[in-house]
């Protein structure tokens, strides 16, 4: 029986220590990490052959994460999980990530259009 290749991740995060932490977690879980990108251009350059991406909402080039997610899903077939750190003053119900198999926000919100599922949070 042939061993399957691990799913390949793209980490899109502008805070390097957070990105390295995510990389360690993914590698420990058996995933391959192709690249860490801090902005939209870096993510697009690395997107080919990635199975999924962890994408922060606010990147080095601004709040480009949602539009980047659309591009990754549409043009590269990459599944997207939004990753966004929120302040302690945010309500617990707003914490967590959105798992978006097709990474679309028809309503302009990560949970819009019925394509996304909330993971984590309260």
């Amino acid at each position: 029986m042939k061993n399957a290749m691990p799913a390949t991740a793209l980490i899109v995060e502008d805070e390097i220590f957070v990105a390295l932490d995510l990389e360690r977690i993914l590698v420990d879980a058996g995933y391959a990490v192709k690249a860490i990108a801090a902005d939209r251009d870096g993510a697009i350059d690395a997107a080919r052959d990635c199975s999924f991406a962890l994408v922060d909402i606010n990147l080095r080039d601004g709040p480009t994460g949602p539009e980047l997610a659309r591009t990754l899903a549409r043009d590269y077939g990459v599944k997207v999980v939004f990753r966004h750190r929120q302040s302690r003053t945010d309500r617990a119900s707003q914490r967590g990530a959105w798992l978006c198999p097709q990474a679309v926000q028809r309503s302009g919100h990560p949970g819009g259009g019925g394509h996304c599922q909330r993971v984590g949070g309260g």
Side-chain angles (χ1 to χ4, degrees), residues 22-37:
L22 291 169
E23 179 182 41
R24 180 190 52 78
I25 291 166
L26 290 170
V27 169
D28 287 351
Y31 296 99
V33 175
K34 181 175 181 184
I36 295 173

Side-chain angles (χ1 to χ4, degrees), residues 8-12 43-44 47 50-57 59 64-83 97-105 110 115-119:
T8 303
L10 170 61
I11 298 170
V12 188
I44 295 298
C50 289
S51 307
F52 67 97
L54 300 180
V55 178
D56 191 6
I57 302 294
L59 301 170
T64 58
E67 184 57 38
L68 170 62
R70 287 185 198 96
T71 301
L72 292 173
R74 181 189 62 235
D75 298 348
Y76 299 92
V78 174
K79 307 250 186 303
V80 174
V81 176
F82 284 105
R83 199 220 67 72
W98 289 94
L99 174 60
C100 304
Q102 300 304 317
V104 246
Q105 292 88 2
H115 298 280
C116 302
Q117 171 186 358
R118 190 171 189 86
V119 261

